[in-house]
Amino acid sequence: MYDMKALYEAASVEDAVALRIQHPEAQIVAGGTDVFVQMREGRRAGKELISIQGLDEIRGIKLEEDGTIRIGSLTTFSHITHDPIIIEKINVLGEAVDMVGGPQIRNAGTIGGNTCNGVTSADSASTLFAWDAVVELTGKDGKRLLPIKDFYLKAGVVDLHPDEIQTGILISKESYENAAGFYIKYGMRNAMEIATTGCSVNCRLSADKKTFDRVRIAYGVAGPIPMRAVSAEAFINGKSVTMENIEEFSRKVLDDINPRDSWRASKAFRLHIAVEMAKRCLIESVKRCGGEV
């Protein structure tokens, strides 16, 4: 049984914002793959819910005139994985969200719900961080655009105002043009697993494929929120594409990340695999950019 006080169904984004204001304690529900499980466990018993599932205006993926990729917050993981724009421009995001849960979860779960949870283990989060994604939030005063690194405040908490809902995620042409990336998720099992650590890297090479023009790397479960390894990025950018530089880059991530001990893995183990993941992700990114190592 689902113990809820009331369920309100938003008819539009504006209606959802109005319902948020009228019912400030209500929980937004999209795919429901997290909220309904928590309700059955009793953690959200007696809550009011605002369903935004019917808002087709914030579902789907499109390429805007300036080349920005716009992902509506209600877009499911399955849709992202198979969308031709994602496959052509930023395939690593489709690959990353294809590791979320099982097929049923991916068919129902949304990227908006995944990011609004604020958890560091979200499979979409590290890749969105690595591609400098921007979160679109809509409230009573209109739209607010926020870099995803500023959207995550602390474990389980995001910068979502009481009158707002998340309506989209934007990735600029400058972020993805001539770049390619790779994501590794490490878990105790090969499927239906929360990440022990996740690493997403993307790179853009010089015209002759011999120099790193730009490299970005981000982790999940390497701190309380997803995070970039900026020291590693600063080291590798402008360097030659060599195994020596890639190995030093992978060691540099230890200057930035700070994973914790948990029943899933010790801090020491997470640090160890983070270095190896960085190396493997960058090597694969180089290959996808047409370079050689």
Side-chain angles (χ1 to χ4, degrees), residues 84-204:
I85 294 173
I86 298 296
I87 292 170
E88 178 187 356
K89 306 292 187 184
I90 184 169
N91 195 36
V92 61
L93 179 59
E95 293 171 343
V97 300
D98 201 41
M99 298 181 190
V100 176
Q104 298 93 333
I105 296 296
R106 295 193 292 271
N107 287 338
T110 65
I111 196 160
N114 201 228
T115 50
C116 284
N117 274 340
V119 296
T120 185
S121 59
D123 286 303
S124 67
S126 56
T127 297
L128 293 173
F129 268 66
W131 292 88
D132 277 339
V134 172
V135 178
E136 179 189 85
L137 307 164
T138 302
K140 61 182 177 61
D141 296 322
K143 297 184 187 300
R144 182 166 66 103
L145 299 179
L146 194 63
I148 196 163
K149 66 181 179 62
D150 298 325
F151 183 58
Y152 282 73
L153 299 178
K154 59 182 180 179
V157 179
V158 295
D159 186 6
L160 187 65
H161 293 176
D163 67 313
E164 291 178 329
I165 66 168
Q166 189 199 106
T167 48
I169 293 175
L170 312 175
I171 301 172
S172 71
K173 183 178 181 179
E174 194 281 330
S175 288
Y176 68 77
E177 191 171 36
N178 299 320
F182 194 69
Y183 173 73
I184 294 176
K185 172 181 180 175
Y186 181 89
M188 303 296 288
R189 302 178 300 181
N190 290 330
M192 299 288 285
E193 175 70 315
I194 295 172
T196 299
T197 303
C199 178
S200 188
V201 174
N202 64 74
C203 73
R204 184 172 61 206

Side-chain angles (χ1 to χ4, degrees), residues 4-292:
M4 68 182 73
K5 181 179 179 181
L7 172 64
Y8 309 103
E9 189 169 356
S12 64
V13 169
E14 293 74 17
D15 187 33
V17 170
L19 286 169
R20 284 272 280 161
I21 296 170
Q22 295 165 20
H23 306 280
E25 300 301 317
Q27 170 70 48
I28 291 285
V29 60
T33 55
D34 287 317
V35 172
F36 290 144
V37 170
Q38 293 165 359
M39 291 187 74
R40 292 197 65 172
E41 293 173 345
R43 285 186 281 162
R44 295 184 185 272
K47 292 282 286 185
E48 293 179 302
L49 301 180
I50 298 172
S51 173
I52 61 172
Q53 183 57 229
L55 306 187
D56 287 342
E57 60 200 283
I58 57 172
R59 179 180 284 112
I61 298 169
K62 67 178 182 179
L63 197 62
E64 299 186 337
E65 287 186 7
D66 64 355
T68 297
I69 298 172
R70 176 187 173 82
I71 306 172
S73 292
L74 283 185
T75 309
T76 65
F77 302 124
S78 293
H79 185 148
I80 292 169
T81 297
H82 298 291
D83 185 86
I85 294 173
I86 298 296
I87 292 170
E88 178 187 356
K89 306 292 187 184
I90 184 169
N91 195 36
V92 61
L93 179 59
E95 293 171 343
V97 300
D98 201 41
M99 298 181 190
V100 176
Q104 298 93 333
I105 296 296
R106 295 193 292 271
N107 287 338
T110 65
I111 196 160
N114 201 228
T115 50
C116 284
N117 274 340
V119 296
T120 185
S121 59
D123 286 303
S124 67
S126 56
T127 297
L128 293 173
F129 268 66
W131 292 88
D132 277 339
V134 172
V135 178
E136 179 189 85
L137 307 164
T138 302
K140 61 182 177 61
D141 296 322
K143 297 184 187 300
R144 182 166 66 103
L145 299 179
L146 194 63
I148 196 163
K149 66 181 179 62
D150 298 325
F151 183 58
Y152 282 73
L153 299 178
K154 59 182 180 179
V157 179
V158 295
D159 186 6
L160 187 65
H161 293 176
D163 67 313
E164 291 178 329
I165 66 168
Q166 189 199 106
T167 48
I169 293 175
L170 312 175
I171 301 172
S172 71
K173 183 178 181 179
E174 194 281 330
S175 288
Y176 68 77
E177 191 171 36
N178 299 320
F182 194 69
Y183 173 73
I184 294 176
K185 172 181 180 175
Y186 181 89
M188 303 296 288
R189 302 178 300 181
N190 290 330
M192 299 288 285
E193 175 70 315
I194 295 172
T196 299
T197 303
C199 178
S200 188
V201 174
N202 64 74
C203 73
R204 184 172 61 206
L205 303 180
S206 59
D208 64 3
K209 309 298 182 182
K210 301 296 185 182
T211 304
F212 288 110
D213 180 43
R214 189 199 68 203
V215 175
R216 295 186 181 131
I217 177 171
Y219 285 93
V221 206
I225 61 174
M227 60 192 303
R228 290 269 287 272
V230 293
S231 298
E233 293 177 355
F235 166 79
I236 198 74
N237 287 330
K239 295 285 199 311
S240 299
V241 179
T242 66
M243 184 57 70
E244 181 182 7
N245 284 332
I246 290 173
E247 289 179 345
E248 181 62 22
F249 159 83
S250 66
R251 290 189 290 268
K252 284 285 185 182
V253 304
L254 298 177
D255 293 343
D256 299 301
I257 64 175
N258 186 31
R260 64 184 178 91
D261 288 309
S262 76
W263 67 268
R264 292 183 184 277
S266 68
K267 177 177 180 176
F269 179 71
R270 284 192 166 107
L271 290 171
H272 172 73
I273 62 173
V275 172
E276 184 64 23
M277 293 166 84
K279 181 172 72 173
R280 294 187 186 188
C281 282
L282 184 51
I283 289 171
E284 189 60 34
S285 297
V286 168
K287 292 177 181 178
R288 290 184 171 193
C289 274
E292 296 181 357

